[in-house]
């Protein structure tokens, strides 16, 4: 593998001149720069990222940990992270936990061993966890996305799920619905709790009682919404509308309704949450609460880069606001 010394010999210049040209640290005449670049090309020379990172004590790499899910929500957030990393001259190493607690801890250790400059964590097993890796490397900034209480210092980027659930309940009530149910996310998950709490707040303010027969817990996946609706339609009385706490479960619920001859929205109105890209392309297109996924990813990168460049910055919480997206799954009664 060619070195700077080889380039210097072929170009007839000093090794330090080659370094100035390759690293663009000092002005070198156009004629000499051309000779150096031509020699580098002939020798198939590529700068060593490892050598540069050891010299500068920075790898220009950010690690990201995500929970495994068929939910395209995660992919849309990662897209925002990757795009902003690229624009800022950083590489992204992405690790998937596949929903496994041990793999999560091993992945964090691996990313720390790779000497990443910062970490972005989006993982459902963080609540209450303490990581020895963070204690050993206290100068590596960590940003946590969209989760609940954590036992280590970190910036947090999150969607205002409480307000999002409230908007969903308000929308159904505004369309004349009083017999309203809910398919929640996993009740152990912070965001699921907040969406359900916001939804119940809207009902309470309108003087509407929530029938427990119309509340089922899902898993944030399509099959969770499908199974939950199967249970709800077995109850003695049926709701006229459902708040389903994410779009994937809403799609599963719509599929189950279709199998049972229940028309959405004529027989049952449904509102989802997240506004994934697929939501507007199903039939009928899904009314939902938009979560700013791309901006969540961008905000996480901005937060971790700010910490990398200004390590003494105080930790903060950045909260992005959801908004209602009206389509075709809610009927006025």
């Amino acid at each position: 593998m060619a070195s700077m010394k080889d380039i210097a010999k072929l170009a007839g210049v000093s090794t330090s001149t080659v370094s100035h040209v390759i690293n663009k640290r000092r002005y070198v005449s156009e004629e000499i720069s051309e000779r150096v670049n031509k020699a580098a090309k002939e020798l198939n020379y590529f700068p060593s990222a490892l050598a540069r990172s050891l010299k500068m004590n920075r790898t220009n790499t950010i690690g990201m940990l995500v929970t495994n899910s068929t939910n395209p929500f995660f992919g849309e957030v990662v897209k925002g992270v990757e795009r902003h990393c690229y624009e800022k001259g950083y590489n992204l190493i992405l690790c998937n936990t596949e929903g496994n607690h041990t793999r999560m801890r091993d992945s964090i250790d691996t990313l720390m061993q790779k000497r990443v400059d910062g970490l972005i964590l989006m993982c459902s097993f963080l609540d209450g966890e303490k990581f020895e890796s963070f204690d050993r490397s206290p100068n590596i900034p960590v940003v946590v996305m969209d989760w609940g209480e954590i036992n280590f210092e970190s910036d947090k980027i999150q969607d205002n799920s409480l307000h999002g659930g409230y908007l969903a309940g308000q929308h159904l009530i505004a369309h004349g619905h009083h017999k309203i149910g809910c398919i929640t996310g996993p009740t152990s998950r912070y965001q699921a709790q907040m969406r359900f709490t916001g939804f119940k707040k809207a009902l309470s303010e309108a003087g509407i009682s929530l029938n427990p027969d119309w509340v089922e817990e899902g898993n944030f996946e399509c099959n969770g919404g499908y199974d939950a609706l199967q249970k709800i339609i077995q109850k003695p009385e049926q709701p006229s509308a459902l708040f389903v706490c994410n779009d994937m479960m809403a799609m599963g619920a719509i599929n189950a309704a279709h199998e049972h001859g229940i028309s959405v929205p004529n027989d049952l109105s449904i509102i989802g949450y997240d506004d994934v890209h697929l939501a507007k392309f199903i039939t009928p297109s899904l009314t939902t609460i938009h979560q700013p996924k791309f901006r969540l990813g961008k905000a996480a990168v901005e937060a971790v880069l700010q910490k990398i460049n200004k390590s003494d910055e105080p930790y903060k919480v950045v909260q992005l606001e959801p908004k209602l997206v009206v389509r075709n799954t809610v009927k006025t009664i």
Side-chain angles (χ1 to χ4, degrees):
M1 186 174 183
S3 67
M4 285 192 181
K5 288 183 179 178
D6 299 323
I7 297 171
K9 183 177 180 181
L10 182 59
V13 298
S14 68
T15 304
S16 62
T17 298
V18 173
S19 177
H20 295 328
V21 173
I22 297 297
N23 296 310
K24 299 178 181 178
R25 290 190 188 140
R26 188 178 300 176
Y27 172 77
V28 178
S29 71
E30 187 175 333
E31 185 266 332
I32 292 177
S33 294
E34 188 175 332
R35 277 163 48 194
V36 169
N37 288 325
K38 182 180 178 182
K41 186 175 182 181
E42 287 181 15
L43 294 170
N44 293 320
Y45 171 81
F46 289 94
S48 171
L50 177 60
R52 185 183 294 117
S53 68
L54 290 172
K55 186 173 183 179
M56 303 192 61
N57 198 29
R58 184 174 291 191
T59 63
N60 273 37
T61 302
I62 292 173
M64 183 175 185
L65 199 68
V66 297
T67 297
N68 180 56
S69 176
T70 57
N71 190 341
F73 165 81
F74 289 93
E76 293 177 35
V77 173
V78 170
K79 181 179 178 181
V81 170
E82 193 278 331
R83 174 79 61 82
H84 205 55
C85 281
Y86 174 77
E87 291 173 352
K88 295 297 182 179
Y90 275 75
N91 299 306
L92 179 68
I93 300 177
L94 183 65
C95 293
N96 190 333
T97 70
E98 295 190 355
N100 184 283
H101 185 273
T102 301
R103 181 163 177 173
M104 176 194 70
R105 300 187 73 90
D106 290 344
S107 294
I108 289 175
D109 288 342
T110 298
L111 290 171
M112 301 294 267
Q113 291 164 16
K114 294 288 185 183
R115 296 175 58 114
V116 295
D117 296 332
L119 282 172
I120 297 173
L121 305 181
M122 193 174 191
C123 183
S124 59
F125 296 106
L126 290 177
D127 288 12
E129 283 288 336
K130 183 173 176 60
F131 298 94
E132 293 78 11
S133 298
F134 298 162
D135 294 334
R136 293 196 299 269
S137 304
N139 295 324
I140 295 182
V142 180
V143 172
V144 174
M145 297 185 67
D146 215 22
W147 244 270
E149 297 301 320
I150 52 177
N151 284 347
F152 51 88
E153 290 187 312
S154 167
D155 285 351
K156 280 186 67 174
I157 314 295
Q158 63 186 18
D159 164 64
N160 188 347
S161 290
L162 182 71
H163 185 57
Y166 181 76
L167 289 176
Q170 276 193 321
H171 184 68
L172 295 176
I173 294 164
H175 281 70
H177 294 277
H178 291 84
K179 298 167 62 176
I180 306 173
C182 183
I183 298 176
T184 74
T187 53
S188 61
R189 298 263 288 273
Y190 177 76
Q191 298 306 322
Q193 295 169 16
M194 291 298 98
R195 292 173 193 180
F196 188 42
T197 299
F199 164 73
K200 289 188 293 183
K201 179 184 176 184
L203 267 60
S204 176
E205 288 182 357
I208 298 173
S209 298
L210 180 61
N211 187 336
D213 281 352
W214 300 336
V215 178
E216 291 291 340
E217 182 177 352
N219 60 0
F220 279 155
E221 306 291 346
C222 287
N223 66 319
Y226 180 92
D227 293 341
L229 189 71
Q230 299 277 12
K231 295 175 182 177
I232 289 173
I233 62 177
Q234 301 302 318
K235 306 298 182 181
E237 187 180 5
Q238 303 300 303
S240 67
L242 287 175
F243 168 41
V244 185
C245 287
N246 81 339
D247 288 351
M248 299 306 286
M249 292 194 301
M251 293 177 194
I254 290 171
N255 181 255
H258 177 73
E259 287 185 3
H260 287 272
I262 299 169
S263 172
V264 176
N266 292 327
D267 302 324
L268 177 66
S269 290
I270 289 179
I271 184 169
Y273 199 109
D274 283 341
D275 191 27
V276 298
H277 184 67
L278 292 172
K280 62 182 176 182
F281 295 109
I282 65 170
T283 302
S285 59
L286 183 64
T287 293
T288 185
I289 303 299
H290 173 80
Q291 187 171 187
K293 300 166 289 299
F294 191 85
R295 286 197 294 122
L296 281 169
K298 181 178 179 180
V301 175
E302 289 175 344
V304 78
L305 291 183
Q306 188 175 48
K307 262 296 189 291
I308 289 170
N309 296 317
K310 296 181 180 179
S311 58
D312 58 343
E313 284 281 309
Y315 291 103
K316 62 182 180 296
V317 175
V318 177
Q319 187 161 265
L320 302 179
E321 295 300 321
K323 63 181 181 181
L324 173 69
V325 177
V326 177
R327 296 195 180 103
N328 298 315
T329 53
V330 175
K331 173 187 175 182
T332 301
I333 59 174

mmCIF file of all heavy atoms in Angstrom, residues 25 29 33 85 142 146 173 177 196 200 207 243 266-267 275 315 318 331:
data_model
loop_
_atom_site.group_PDB
_atom_site.id
_atom_site.type_symbol
_atom_site.label_atom_id
_atom_site.label_comp_id
_atom_site.label_asym_id
_atom_site.label_seq_id
_atom_site.Cartn_x
_atom_site.Cartn_y
_atom_site.Cartn_z
ATOM 1 N N ARG A 25 -3.782 21.630 4.473
ATOM 2 C CA ARG A 25 -3.524 22.420 5.675
ATOM 3 C C ARG A 25 -2.740 23.705 5.385
ATOM 4 O O ARG A 25 -2.707 24.594 6.214
ATOM 5 C CB ARG A 25 -2.739 21.584 6.694
ATOM 6 C CG ARG A 25 -3.575 20.470 7.316
ATOM 7 C CD ARG A 25 -2.826 19.853 8.478
ATOM 8 N NE ARG A 25 -3.531 18.673 8.936
ATOM 9 C CZ ARG A 25 -2.933 17.546 9.312
ATOM 10 N NH1 ARG A 25 -1.619 17.464 9.253
ATOM 11 N NH2 ARG A 25 -3.627 16.531 9.738
ATOM 12 N N SER A 29 1.673 25.596 -4.209
ATOM 13 C CA SER A 29 1.433 26.100 -5.560
ATOM 14 C C SER A 29 0.649 25.098 -6.401
ATOM 15 O O SER A 29 0.707 23.879 -6.179
ATOM 16 C CB SER A 29 2.762 26.419 -6.254
ATOM 17 O OG SER A 29 3.454 25.227 -6.576
ATOM 18 N N SER A 33 0.962 21.012 -6.438
ATOM 19 C CA SER A 33 -0.225 20.266 -6.030
ATOM 20 C C SER A 33 -0.648 19.288 -7.110
ATOM 21 O O SER A 33 -1.026 18.139 -6.823
ATOM 22 C CB SER A 33 -1.383 21.233 -5.734
ATOM 23 O OG SER A 33 -1.096 22.025 -4.614
ATOM 24 N N CYS A 85 -25.790 13.612 9.128
ATOM 25 C CA CYS A 85 -24.392 13.207 9.338
ATOM 26 C C CYS A 85 -23.573 13.467 8.075
ATOM 27 O O CYS A 85 -22.467 14.021 8.127
ATOM 28 C CB CYS A 85 -24.316 11.719 9.708
ATOM 29 S SG CYS A 85 -24.716 11.333 11.417
ATOM 30 N N VAL A 142 -23.793 11.474 24.520
ATOM 31 C CA VAL A 142 -24.877 10.540 24.214
ATOM 32 C C VAL A 142 -26.173 11.331 24.069
ATOM 33 O O VAL A 142 -26.477 12.195 24.885
ATOM 34 C CB VAL A 142 -25.034 9.485 25.326
ATOM 35 C CG1 VAL A 142 -26.179 8.524 24.995
ATOM 36 C CG2 VAL A 142 -23.740 8.707 25.532
ATOM 37 N N ASP A 146 -36.578 9.971 22.046
ATOM 38 C CA ASP A 146 -37.965 9.546 22.160
ATOM 39 C C ASP A 146 -38.218 8.478 23.213
ATOM 40 O O ASP A 146 -39.003 7.571 22.981
ATOM 41 C CB ASP A 146 -38.440 9.036 20.797
ATOM 42 C CG ASP A 146 -39.908 9.392 20.564
ATOM 43 O OD1 ASP A 146 -40.386 10.329 21.211
ATOM 44 O OD2 ASP A 146 -40.564 8.730 19.769
ATOM 45 N N ILE A 173 -63.693 13.471 18.837
ATOM 46 C CA ILE A 173 -64.811 14.135 19.526
ATOM 47 C C ILE A 173 -65.420 15.219 18.642
ATOM 48 O O ILE A 173 -66.644 15.359 18.547
ATOM 49 C CB ILE A 173 -64.330 14.732 20.868
ATOM 50 C CG1 ILE A 173 -63.932 13.605 21.830
ATOM 51 C CG2 ILE A 173 -65.413 15.608 21.500
ATOM 52 C CD1 ILE A 173 -63.097 14.079 23.007
ATOM 53 N N HIS A 177 -68.047 11.811 17.735
ATOM 54 C CA HIS A 177 -67.911 10.491 18.351
ATOM 55 C C HIS A 177 -67.881 10.598 19.874
ATOM 56 O O HIS A 177 -67.183 11.449 20.437
ATOM 57 C CB HIS A 177 -66.640 9.798 17.848
ATOM 58 C CG HIS A 177 -66.667 9.470 16.400
ATOM 59 N ND1 HIS A 177 -67.266 8.334 15.908
ATOM 60 C CD2 HIS A 177 -66.205 10.162 15.314
ATOM 61 C CE1 HIS A 177 -67.145 8.323 14.587
ATOM 62 N NE2 HIS A 177 -66.513 9.416 14.201
ATOM 63 N N PHE A 196 -51.630 7.597 25.426
ATOM 64 C CA PHE A 196 -52.885 7.167 26.040
ATOM 65 C C PHE A 196 -53.364 8.195 27.063
ATOM 66 O O PHE A 196 -54.558 8.508 27.128
ATOM 67 C CB PHE A 196 -52.688 5.802 26.692
ATOM 68 C CG PHE A 196 -53.955 5.162 27.194
ATOM 69 C CD1 PHE A 196 -55.135 5.206 26.454
ATOM 70 C CD2 PHE A 196 -53.976 4.495 28.418
ATOM 71 C CE1 PHE A 196 -56.297 4.615 26.915
ATOM 72 C CE2 PHE A 196 -55.130 3.899 28.889
ATOM 73 C CZ PHE A 196 -56.297 3.964 28.136
ATOM 74 N N LYS A 200 -56.905 10.254 26.942
ATOM 75 C CA LYS A 200 -57.878 10.237 28.041
ATOM 76 C C LYS A 200 -58.181 11.653 28.537
ATOM 77 O O LYS A 200 -59.309 11.944 28.944
ATOM 78 C CB LYS A 200 -57.353 9.373 29.191
ATOM 79 C CG LYS A 200 -57.349 7.886 28.893
ATOM 80 C CD LYS A 200 -57.010 7.050 30.111
ATOM 81 C CE LYS A 200 -55.590 7.240 30.563
ATOM 82 N NZ LYS A 200 -55.241 6.359 31.708
ATOM 83 N N GLY A 207 -66.214 15.338 28.909
ATOM 84 C CA GLY A 207 -67.199 14.638 29.729
ATOM 85 C C GLY A 207 -67.563 13.268 29.211
ATOM 86 O O GLY A 207 -68.664 12.766 29.451
ATOM 87 N N PHE A 243 -58.849 5.337 18.676
ATOM 88 C CA PHE A 243 -57.520 5.909 18.546
ATOM 89 C C PHE A 243 -56.539 4.752 18.645
ATOM 90 O O PHE A 243 -56.479 4.058 19.659
ATOM 91 C CB PHE A 243 -57.254 6.928 19.658
ATOM 92 C CG PHE A 243 -55.811 7.364 19.763
ATOM 93 C CD1 PHE A 243 -55.051 7.616 18.633
ATOM 94 C CD2 PHE A 243 -55.219 7.547 21.012
ATOM 95 C CE1 PHE A 243 -53.717 8.026 18.731
ATOM 96 C CE2 PHE A 243 -53.894 7.966 21.129
ATOM 97 C CZ PHE A 243 -53.145 8.198 19.989
ATOM 98 N N ASN A 266 -67.142 4.090 7.579
ATOM 99 C CA ASN A 266 -68.610 4.123 7.693
ATOM 100 C C ASN A 266 -69.113 3.457 8.965
ATOM 101 O O ASN A 266 -70.037 3.955 9.623
ATOM 102 C CB ASN A 266 -69.245 3.459 6.467
ATOM 103 C CG ASN A 266 -69.017 4.275 5.209
ATOM 104 O OD1 ASN A 266 -68.963 5.496 5.260
ATOM 105 N ND2 ASN A 266 -68.861 3.604 4.072
ATOM 106 N N ASP A 267 -68.513 2.302 9.325
ATOM 107 C CA ASP A 267 -68.918 1.597 10.553
ATOM 108 C C ASP A 267 -67.987 1.905 11.730
ATOM 109 O O ASP A 267 -68.411 1.873 12.889
ATOM 110 C CB ASP A 267 -68.925 0.085 10.317
ATOM 111 C CG ASP A 267 -69.848 -0.326 9.189
ATOM 112 O OD1 ASP A 267 -70.914 0.305 9.056
ATOM 113 O OD2 ASP A 267 -69.499 -1.256 8.436
ATOM 114 N N ASP A 275 -47.736 9.048 11.232
ATOM 115 C CA ASP A 275 -47.755 9.503 9.844
ATOM 116 C C ASP A 275 -46.560 8.953 9.077
ATOM 117 O O ASP A 275 -45.779 9.694 8.465
ATOM 118 C CB ASP A 275 -47.790 11.037 9.746
ATOM 119 C CG ASP A 275 -48.092 11.520 8.322
ATOM 120 O OD1 ASP A 275 -48.743 10.775 7.569
ATOM 121 O OD2 ASP A 275 -47.679 12.649 7.980
ATOM 122 N N TYR A 315 -26.869 19.726 29.567
ATOM 123 C CA TYR A 315 -27.768 18.775 28.923
ATOM 124 C C TYR A 315 -29.151 19.395 28.762
ATOM 125 O O TYR A 315 -29.581 20.188 29.590
ATOM 126 C CB TYR A 315 -27.858 17.486 29.751
ATOM 127 C CG TYR A 315 -26.564 16.704 29.738
ATOM 128 C CD1 TYR A 315 -25.707 16.732 30.838
ATOM 129 C CD2 TYR A 315 -26.207 15.958 28.631
ATOM 130 C CE1 TYR A 315 -24.509 16.024 30.833
ATOM 131 C CE2 TYR A 315 -25.014 15.243 28.615
ATOM 132 C CZ TYR A 315 -24.172 15.285 29.712
ATOM 133 O OH TYR A 315 -22.991 14.598 29.680
ATOM 134 N N VAL A 318 -34.986 18.480 23.874
ATOM 135 C CA VAL A 318 -35.581 19.125 22.705
ATOM 136 C C VAL A 318 -36.880 18.391 22.392
ATOM 137 O O VAL A 318 -36.871 17.187 22.125
ATOM 138 C CB VAL A 318 -34.635 19.075 21.489
ATOM 139 C CG1 VAL A 318 -35.303 19.683 20.260
ATOM 140 C CG2 VAL A 318 -33.330 19.796 21.803
ATOM 141 N N LYS A 331 -65.082 9.447 10.170
ATOM 142 C CA LYS A 331 -66.377 9.904 9.651
ATOM 143 C C LYS A 331 -67.040 10.834 10.649
ATOM 144 O O LYS A 331 -66.942 10.651 11.860
ATOM 145 C CB LYS A 331 -67.270 8.674 9.394
ATOM 146 C CG LYS A 331 -68.700 8.995 9.003
ATOM 147 C CD LYS A 331 -69.508 7.706 8.940
ATOM 148 C CE LYS A 331 -70.970 7.996 8.661
ATOM 149 N NZ LYS A 331 -71.794 6.753 8.643
#
